[in-house]
């Protein structure tokens, strides 16, 4: 409750007062999480930084241009923008490469080349991340939002624009697929 | 396996080293962002927008209908209160009178449910008194007699309701019965006094209306007696304890005295009114008689004289008066103070006997006697007033084609509205 009130006051300062200090607070509070979310999706440091920077700039524009909009969650808004930016990023890259491949295919190809090239993580985590990257974008998204960013089904539903039931089903299928992939990797 | 995967996924979050952004980049990006956003023009939001900002959108959606509802409710309450206040002075037939009645009934119903039947009885007594004041005001303002009659009917019904409510309370709490009956009797006395006041005005009241008022007085008095009879029955049945005997006796005495006084007052008032009416007729007759040149009817009233009246001493039975014959005029003498007090003498006489019975503790008998007296009064035959010739001679009037007069005294008899005039005791002089 206290957090919600703080968020509301922060939102008021940003939306109404256009207070840069307030926005700086918001930036400090969420930049790492947004960066992580983007990085896990794009798997490239430079791209993740660019997208994250753009997320905060777009969020500022959205908040100050839509004063009368009721924003229930600032965090949810940032993730929604980040998700859309990632989708836009893949779409633009796909166009640049002039390949007639869908986003999922492109992501998988890219991940094979750049995956965690700058990341030094444990063996187990590295394997898990590698398997996640092989999942469909839809599955990756719900898994990351649910287990790493710790959003509720309702919040994921708001970020992705899907119904809660659809989110639950997707999550269930994603976990099932992940399990299968991990088991097949163990066997091999 | 699934749980294990979930745990592994959750642990990924804590791998700071791998997924944390470069601190230098974070700071640099922040500076760039701040520089960019600070360059934007600041706008000031209005107070309304600020209010809307902190009210959730869902509530904002409902805010307008809710605000409308609140305003409408406030206006309704304020409007109703203003109307009710304004209606307090209204009389039957006025636009706001129904508001007054509705407010009164609501108050009574509310008191009956929330505050108890004792409060309801008190409010009914007040309502009955209000009806009496209204009737008095209507008569003073010379409003339609029908409205007065309706108001008096309402009054009688309200008194009956008050009596029934008092009876209901008495059945539940017999100890409070004497107090409630005393209150009812007191209220009824006020009503009767108010109705009696109607006759004290300068105007003569129409005989029908006067009789209706007296009837209401008797009905109201009857309710007091009825209520008193009920508590006496309760006492005799042992429902009311011996410790309240004196209280009951006191109440009964009070009821009897009030009843006697009210009945007597009503009878006097009625007679006074009749006399006043007759005086008016005399005055009219005298003024008409003064016009010597023009032969006119002896008494001009709004009520046409009967074509045939009882014969007086001047006219022999079977004899037909010709138009040229001088017609004797019968005029009633105004009642003196002695005459007036003598009229309800029967009830005064009974009161002494009744009070004796009360002193002897025979309350039931006493009340029965008062009730009988009241009944006698109600069914009392019209009082016979001795008739004397009027001092002023009245010019005989030749009968007109439209109003042929046969015999004498028709005009006066007809104008008194039903009071029988005995013309046999004193022969009237015939005007030649």
């Amino acid at each position: 409750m206290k957090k919600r009130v703080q968020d509301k006051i922060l939102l008021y300062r940003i939306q109404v007062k256009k207070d840069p200090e307030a926005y700086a607070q918001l930036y400090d509070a969420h930049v790492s999480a947004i960066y992580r979310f983007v990085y896990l999706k794009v798997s490239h440091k430079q791209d993740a930084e660019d997208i994250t920077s753009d997320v905060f700039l777009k969020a500022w524009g959205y908040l100050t241009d839509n004063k009368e909009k009721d924003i229930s969650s600032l965090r949810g808004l940032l993730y929604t923008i980040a998700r859309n930016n990632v989708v836009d990023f893949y779409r633009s890259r796909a166009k640049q490469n002039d390949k007639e491949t869908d986003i999922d295919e492109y992501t998988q190809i890219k991940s094979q080349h750049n995956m965690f090239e700058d990341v030094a993580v444990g063996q187990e985590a590295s394997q898990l991340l590698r398997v996640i990257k092989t999942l469909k974008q839809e599955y990756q998204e719900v898994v990351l939002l649910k287990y790493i960013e710790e959003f509720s089904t309702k919040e994921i539903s708001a970020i992705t624009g899907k119904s809660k039931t659809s989110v639950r089903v997707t999550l269930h299928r994603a976990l099932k697929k992940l399990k299968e992939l991990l088991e097949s990797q163990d066997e091999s | 396996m699934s749980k294990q995967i979930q745990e592994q996924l959750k642990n990924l979050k804590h791998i700071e080293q791998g997924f944390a952004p470069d601190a230098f980049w974070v700071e640099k990006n922040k500076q760039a962002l701040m520089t960019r956003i600070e360059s934007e023009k600041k706008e000031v939001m209005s107070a309304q927008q600020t209010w809307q900002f902190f009210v959730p959108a869902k509530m904002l959606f409902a805010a307008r209908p809710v605000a409308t509802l609140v305003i409408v409710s406030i206006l309704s309450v304020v409007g109703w209160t203003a109307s009710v206040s304004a209606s307090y002075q209204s009389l039957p037939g006025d636009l706001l009178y129904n508001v007054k009645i509705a407010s009164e009934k609501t108050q009574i119903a509310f008191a009956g449910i929330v505050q108890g039947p004792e409060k309801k009885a008190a409010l009914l007594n007040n309502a009955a008194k209000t009806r009496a004041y209204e009737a008095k005001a209507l008569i003073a303002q010379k409003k339609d007699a029908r409205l007065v009659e309706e108001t008096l009917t309402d009054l009688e019904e309200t008194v009956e309701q008050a009596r029934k409510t008092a009876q209901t309370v008495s059945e539940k709490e017999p100890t409070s019965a004497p107090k409630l009956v005393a209150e009812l009797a007191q209220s009824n006395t006020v009503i009767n006094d108010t109705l009696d006041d109607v006759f004290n005005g300068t105007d003569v009241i129409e005989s029908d209306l006067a009789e209706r008022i007296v009837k209401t007085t008797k009905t109201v008095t009857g309710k007091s007696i009825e209520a008193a009879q009920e508590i006496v029955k309760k006492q005799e049945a042992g429902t009311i304890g011996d410790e309240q005997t004196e209280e009951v006796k006191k109440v009964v005495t009070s009821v009897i005295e009030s009843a006697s006084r009210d009945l007597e007052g009503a009878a006097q008032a009625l007679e006074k009114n009749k006399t006043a009416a007759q005086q008016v007729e005399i005055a009219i007759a005298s003024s008409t008689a003064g016009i010597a040149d023009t032969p006119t009817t002896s008494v001009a009233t709004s009520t046409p004289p009967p074509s045939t009246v009882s014969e007086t001493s001047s006219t022999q039975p079977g004899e037909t008066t010709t138009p040229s014959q001088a017609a004797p005029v019968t005029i009633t003498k105004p009642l003196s103070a002695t005459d007036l007090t003598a009229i309800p003498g029967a009830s005064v006489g009974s009161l002494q006997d009744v009070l004796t019975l009360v002193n002897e503790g025979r309350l039931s008998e006493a009340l029965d006697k008062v009730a009988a007296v009241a009944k006698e009064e109600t069914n009392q035959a019209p009082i016979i007033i001795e008739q004397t010739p009027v001092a002023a001679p009245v010019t005989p009037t030749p009968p007109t084609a439209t109003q042929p007069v046969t015999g004498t005294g028709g005009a006066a008899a007809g104008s008194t509205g039903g009071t029988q005039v005995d013309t046999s005791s004193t022969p009237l002089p015939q005007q030649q």
Side-chain angles (χ1 to χ4, degrees):
Chain A
M1 184 66 190
K2 192 183 171 186
K3 178 124 183 38
R4 282 188 68 181
V5 173
Q6 282 175 345
D7 267 5
K8 199 72 186 170
I9 294 168
L10 198 62
L11 189 64
Y12 172 73
R13 286 172 63 194
I14 295 165
Q15 271 192 302
V16 180
K17 302 287 180 188
K18 287 192 172 180
D19 185 356
E21 277 185 30
Y23 200 66
Q25 281 181 33
L26 181 78
Y27 177 86
D28 290 341
H30 299 288
V31 68
S32 299
I34 295 293
Y35 174 84
R36 181 178 60 212
F37 175 70
V38 175
Y39 181 75
L40 286 171
K41 299 269 270 182
V42 299
S43 311
H44 193 277
K45 189 185 171 186
Q46 192 60 48
D47 290 341
E49 284 178 353
D50 289 348
I51 292 169
T52 306
S53 179
D54 196 43
V55 166
F56 280 95
L57 199 59
K58 278 186 177 172
W60 170 262
Y62 181 84
L63 289 171
T64 51
D65 289 347
N66 297 281
K67 287 176 185 171
E68 289 172 12
K69 275 222 167 168
D70 185 49
I71 294 157
S72 56
S73 164
L74 268 175
R75 186 170 169 242
L77 175 76
L78 291 172
Y79 276 89
T80 307
I81 295 171
R83 177 184 174 271
N84 293 340
N85 272 16
V86 169
V87 172
D88 289 346
F89 168 79
Y90 281 130
R91 200 171 279 151
S92 65
R93 283 294 168 89
K95 278 183 186 173
Q96 276 177 16
N97 292 335
D98 199 23
K99 288 179 183 175
E100 291 184 355
T101 51
D102 66 8
I103 291 170
D104 282 333
E105 281 178 48
Y106 181 79
T107 313
Q108 282 179 9
I109 294 161
K110 191 173 169 60
S111 67
Q112 284 167 7
H113 293 290
N114 303 301
M115 193 168 59
F116 314 123
E117 57 187 6
D118 302 322
V119 180
V121 293
Q123 181 67 33
E124 201 178 74
S126 178
Q127 188 198 358
L128 184 60
L129 284 168
R130 208 170 284 120
V131 174
I132 289 171
K133 292 308 289 182
T134 59
L135 290 172
K136 281 168 70 178
Q137 269 293 328
E138 192 188 10
Y139 290 172
Q140 279 187 44
E141 199 169 69
V142 289
V143 166
L144 291 178
L145 288 171
K146 181 72 181 177
Y147 296 106
I148 297 175
E149 306 307 333
E150 292 181 339
F151 276 107
S152 67
T153 309
K154 190 183 171 185
E155 286 169 322
I156 296 169
S157 157
I159 292 166
T160 58
K162 290 175 181 173
S163 70
K164 283 194 274 186
T165 315
S166 174
V167 170
R168 274 194 213 99
V169 171
T170 309
L171 194 61
H172 176 75
R173 286 176 183 165
L175 279 175
K176 197 179 168 188
K177 185 73 184 170
L178 195 61
K179 191 180 163 187
E180 283 172 12
L181 289 170
L182 284 170
E183 281 173 351
S184 64
Q185 276 208 355
D186 286 346
E187 284 169 11
S188 63
Chain B
M1 183 67 183
S2 280
K3 283 197 175 178
Q4 197 185 342
I5 293 168
Q6 285 177 27
E7 284 302 314
Q8 284 177 358
L9 285 167
K10 282 176 185 172
N11 287 336
L12 282 178
K13 189 184 175 181
H14 304 295
I15 306 170
E16 293 292 327
Q17 195 188 357
F19 308 125
D22 183 12
F24 177 71
W25 170 81
V26 170
E27 198 53 39
K28 191 182 156 195
N29 188 50
K30 186 180 171 183
Q31 292 301 327
L33 192 67
M34 291 303 116
T35 311
R36 187 141 181 198
I37 64 177
E38 274 175 357
S39 64
E40 286 186 22
K41 193 182 170 184
K42 287 184 181 177
E43 288 174 27
V44 180
M45 196 183 247
S46 68
Q48 190 192 351
Q49 285 172 316
T50 309
W51 178 76
Q52 284 175 347
F53 185 86
F54 285 102
V55 178
K58 281 176 191 170
M59 279 175 70
L60 208 60
F61 176 72
R64 190 181 287 266
V66 167
T68 311
L69 198 69
V70 168
I71 290 166
V72 166
S73 309
I74 290 169
L75 285 176
S76 307
V77 171
V78 170
W80 172 250
T81 311
S83 303
V84 169
S85 304
S87 71
Y88 281 148
Q89 299 301 320
S90 66
L91 291 173
D94 289 351
L95 278 176
L96 286 174
Y97 187 69
N98 286 336
V99 176
K100 182 183 180 178
I101 293 295
S103 150
E104 208 174 77
K105 283 185 178 173
T106 311
Q107 216 179 344
I108 290 166
F110 181 78
I113 296 163
V114 179
Q115 293 167 297
E118 279 188 45
K119 179 71 182 170
K120 187 183 173 183
L123 286 173
L124 281 165
N125 286 338
N126 282 341
K129 281 187 262 185
T130 310
R131 294 295 88 77
Y133 296 135
E134 284 168 5
K136 186 183 168 186
L138 285 171
I139 294 164
Q141 292 176 18
K142 294 186 172 62
K143 289 278 175 76
D144 190 358
R146 188 178 49 81
L147 286 174
V148 180
E149 196 159 320
E150 281 172 10
T151 309
L152 292 173
T153 309
D154 280 353
L155 190 160
E156 288 169 7
E157 283 170 5
T158 313
V159 170
E160 173 60 10
Q161 277 180 38
R163 188 196 65 78
K164 280 184 179 169
T165 311
Q167 191 184 351
T168 313
V169 179
S170 306
E171 278 165 12
K172 285 178 186 169
E173 290 174 41
T175 48
S176 63
K179 184 185 160 226
L180 286 171
V181 174
E183 282 173 3
L184 178 73
Q186 201 178 357
S187 166
N188 288 352
T189 304
V190 173
I191 291 166
N192 287 336
D193 287 347
T194 310
L195 293 177
D196 196 38
D197 274 353
V198 169
F199 295 100
N200 293 335
T202 50
D203 296 321
V204 177
I205 298 162
E206 212 175 300
S207 60
D208 288 348
L209 188 58
E211 279 170 18
R212 180 69 181 81
I213 293 166
V214 170
K215 180 183 167 281
T216 304
T217 304
K218 288 170 183 172
T219 309
V220 169
T221 309
K223 298 296 169 195
S224 298
I225 296 168
E226 217 175 308
Q229 279 175 324
E230 278 159 18
I231 57 163
V232 170
K233 275 180 196 169
K234 277 191 171 59
Q235 195 195 22
E236 284 170 357
T239 321
I240 297 174
D242 292 339
E243 66 278 5
Q244 283 189 296
T245 308
E246 275 307 308
E247 200 182 345
V248 171
K249 198 172 171 182
K250 202 176 162 187
V251 170
V252 169
T253 310
S254 162
V255 167
I256 290 168
E257 283 174 353
S258 301
S260 174
R261 189 174 61 84
D262 293 343
L263 290 170
E264 197 174 318
Q268 283 181 9
L270 187 62
E271 279 315 310
K272 192 180 165 189
N273 188 63
K274 280 177 186 173
T275 312
Q278 287 162 2
Q279 279 178 327
V280 169
E281 283 159 15
I282 292 162
I284 293 165
S286 303
S287 62
T288 316
I291 307 164
D293 298 333
T294 315
T296 54
T297 49
S298 60
V299 177
T301 65
S302 59
T303 314
S307 56
T308 308
V309 294
S310 59
E311 295 294 330
T312 60
S313 57
S314 62
T315 311
Q316 294 305 313
E319 188 183 329
T320 309
T321 312
T322 58
S324 58
Q325 258 184 309
V329 178
T330 308
I331 294 165
T332 314
K333 185 195 86 171
L335 285 172
S336 68
T338 324
D339 295 332
L340 287 170
T341 49
I343 294 158
S347 65
V348 174
S350 302
L351 177 64
Q352 301 306 324
D353 302 338
V354 170
L355 289 176
T356 313
L357 288 173
V358 173
N359 289 331
E360 286 169 6
R362 292 150 70 188
L363 302 179
S364 190
E365 276 179 59
L367 281 168
D368 287 346
K369 203 158 186 178
V370 176
V373 170
K375 209 173 177 181
E376 262 174 45
E377 288 277 350
T378 313
N379 303 326
Q380 192 182 344
I383 295 149
I384 296 165
I385 304 162
E386 280 199 0
Q387 192 182 31
T388 53
V390 71
V394 179
T395 311
T397 310
T400 59
T402 50
Q403 289 183 336
V405 176
T406 310
T408 58
S415 66
T416 51
T419 303
Q420 286 183 359
V421 179
D422 187 357
T423 57
S424 60
S425 57
T426 312
L428 288 172
Q430 285 186 15
Q431 187 69 33
Q432 295 302 318

